[in-house]
Amino acid sequence: VGATADAQENCRNPMFSLHWAGKSDIVHLNAQPEPQYDLRICPFYNGKVACCSAAYESEQERAFERWVEHWRRLRSHLHDFQLAMEGMKVASGYVEVDVTQKALFDKAFESFNPVLDSFGTCFDTLLEYMAGVLCFACDPHWRGKVLENDAATEVRHVIVHDSSNEELWESCAGFA
């Protein structure tokens, strides 16, 4: 593994421009791809040239933890909403409505269980996906995995392999 980069290798992926050199209060990506040997978060890049350094992993870890907290809060909100709906079933408003309205309410209420049951698998798959996105900052060959605007100053689309999309769909189908 050499430290020299070909013309397509660089660490200026616009998706991570906040972490290019310039600000002194955050950890930066490498200016150029450099050999890495001690990455914990993205070990795939150990023994290869990469844009991440061991110091940058603290940023990745914080970002990942924000996603973990986001999905935990979402599950908690769904559960709380389900409990609130359950309480409504004994309220006079529920007791007094016609059969059709009760059936609609009951159908909505029953839809929570499949969602909450699949939440663990879906949650884990989404976190795997986010870990991949965060490790994408390490990839000096990013340009071949995105579609950029005409000026090549921003990423318009990330090219995701179909198998990743299929795994995500299978894991989160309960939300559909």
Side-chain angles (χ1 to χ4, degrees), residues 12-15 20 142-143 146-157:
R12 305 285 286 184
N13 183 334
M15 290 175 58
W20 296 348
W142 60 269
R143 206 169 235 123
V146 300
L147 299 176
E148 297 175 272
N149 66 350
D150 291 337
T153 56
E154 67 181 54
V155 171
R156 294 283 171 93
H157 303 282

Side-chain angles (χ1 to χ4, degrees), residues 36-48 57 135:
Q36 299 300 317
Y37 300 101
D38 58 351
L39 298 176
R40 292 177 303 104
I41 306 292
C42 304
F44 173 81
Y45 291 97
N46 285 332
K48 301 175 183 176
E57 288 188 320
C135 286

